Amino acid sequence: MKLLENKVAIITGASRGIGRGIALKFAQEGANIAFTYLSSVEKGLALEKELETYGIKAKGYQSDAADFKAADDLVTAVVAEFGTVDILVNNAGITRDTLLMRMSEQQWDEVMNANLKSVFNLTKAVQKPMLKQRKGSIINMSSVVGVKGNPGQSNYAASKAGIIGFTKSVALELGSRNIRSNAIAPGFIETEMTGALDEKTVQGWRDAIPLKRVGTAEDVANVTAFLASDNSAYVTGQVINVCGGMLT
Ligand code: NAP
C-alpha cells in the first residue's frame, strides 16, 4: 500500500516550486489532490493533467488563500467534490523583501495576509471536516528565516515565525481530537521565489550549509509526505528544519 493511499489532501500554492513538488510526491503516494494557485491558470491546468497520470483524482482551484471567505468556499467545494479532507498543506507564500527603513505598510500587509492569515483561513475552514472524522494532519510551511530572522525580510520572518506559534497552538487545541499540526522550516530551496535573490546573498547561504548544496522541492516534499502520513501518527506541534543543517 502506498504511503497516502486514498487520503484527500489540500495543497495551497501548488502551481510552482515547493507546492508543485509536494503535489507530485503526494500523487505518487496515492493521495487524491485538491490544489490551489493565485494567478497561474495554465500551470494549474497542466499540473492537474500531470497528477491524473498517477491514477489519482486531482483538481486545481484558483483561490486566494489570503481571502477568508474564498478559503471557506474552497474547503466547502473540496468536501463536495472529494468527500472529506485528511491533509492540509498550507504552502502558499510570497516575499516583498526590503529593509525596514524602506518597507511600506502595503509590503507588510501583503506578506502577512498571504503567508500568515492564509494559514488561519485554511486551518479554520478544514477544522469542521477534520473534527467530524476525528483525524487530520495539518502541515504549515514556515522557513528557517522564521526561526532565525533575516535582514531585509522582517515582514517575511515575522509571518513565518507567526506560523510556528499558530502551528503549536493548534496542535495543543486539537490534539485530543487526533488532529495533528506541524510546521516545516525549509532552508534555501531552489524555486522561482529564491531565483529573485541576488547571487551574493545566494553564495552566502550556500557557504553556510553543512551539506554544501541548496535544497530541492523534492527534499521538502519528502518530509511533507512523512508528516501527512500515518508514519508520523505520534508527531505533533513540531517544527522540522529541512535546511541541509544550515541552522545547526
Ligand atoms: P514560489 O515558487 O514563489 O510559489 C509560490 C506558490 O504560491 C505559487 O503556486 C503561487 O501561485 C502561490 N500563491 C502565492 N500567493 C498565493 C495566494 N494568496 N493564494 C494562493 N496561492 C498563492 O514559492 P516557493 O519557493 O515554492 O515557496 C513555497 C512556500 O515555501 C512558501 O510559503 C515559502 O515562503 C516557503 N519557503 C520557501 C523557501 C525557498 O527557499 N524557496 C524557503 C523557506 C520557505 P501563482 O503561481 O498563481 O502565483
Side-chain angles (χ1 to χ4, degrees), residues 84-103:
T84 189
V85 183
D86 301 297
I87 301 157
L88 168 65
V89 183
N90 281 310
N91 167 77
I94 60 168
T95 50
R96 296 286 184 268
D97 297 351
T98 190
L99 294 173
L100 179 60
M101 198 180 283
R102 295 201 199 101
M103 191 175 291

Side-chain angles (χ1 to χ4, degrees), residues 12-58:
T12 65
S15 50
R16 313 183 258 123
I18 293 171
R20 180 181 148 79
I22 293 169
L24 289 168
K25 174 71 181 169
F26 277 25
Q28 287 159 19
E29 296 295 348
N32 295 313
I33 298 166
F35 69 89
T36 72
Y37 50 87
L38 186 61
S39 54
S40 303
V41 179
E42 275 174 29
K43 285 182 184 169
L45 286 172
L47 179 63
E48 196 176 288
K49 289 211 175 74
E50 193 175 348
L51 294 175
E52 281 168 353
T53 64
Y54 291 94
I56 52 101
K57 183 179 167 95

Side-chain angles (χ1 to χ4, degrees), residues 34-185:
F35 69 89
T36 72
Y37 50 87
L38 186 61
S39 54
S40 303
V41 179
E42 275 174 29
K43 285 182 184 169
L45 286 172
L47 179 63
E48 196 176 288
K49 289 211 175 74
E50 193 175 348
L51 294 175
E52 281 168 353
T53 64
Y54 291 94
I56 52 101
K57 183 179 167 95
K59 193 167 165 59
Y61 297 82
Q62 186 170 18
S63 177
D64 183 355
D67 182 324
F68 183 78
K69 186 173 181 309
D72 196 56
D73 290 348
L74 169 76
V75 173
T76 302
V78 171
V79 171
E81 181 78 27
F82 289 79
T84 189
V85 183
D86 301 297
I87 301 157
L88 168 65
V89 183
N90 281 310
N91 167 77
I94 60 168
T95 50
R96 296 286 184 268
D97 297 351
T98 190
L99 294 173
L100 179 60
M101 198 180 283
R102 295 201 199 101
M103 191 175 291
S104 65
E105 183 184 4
Q106 187 183 349
Q107 285 170 322
W108 174 269
D109 287 345
E110 281 177 6
V111 168
M112 294 307 281
N113 289 337
N115 294 7
L116 183 57
K117 189 181 176 208
S118 62
V119 176
F120 162 72
N121 292 343
L122 268 298
T123 305
K124 194 165 165 63
V126 298
Q127 237 195 133
K128 225 186 284 169
M130 286 187 177
L131 282 171
K132 204 168 153 196
Q133 64 180 11
R134 285 191 156 263
K135 197 173 186 190
S137 177
I138 299 162
I139 299 140
N140 300 321
M141 213 49 75
S142 179
S143 166
V144 291
V145 165
V147 178
K148 188 179 176 293
N150 200 29
Q153 289 199 304
S154 58
N155 49 359
Y156 183 79
S159 72
K160 295 300 183 180
I163 285 177
I164 293 173
F166 181 82
T167 301
K168 293 185 177 188
S169 302
V170 169
L172 294 172
E173 274 189 38
L174 299 181
S176 63
R177 311 298 167 93
N178 198 28
I179 298 170
R180 300 184 293 111
S181 167
N182 291 289
I184 294 177

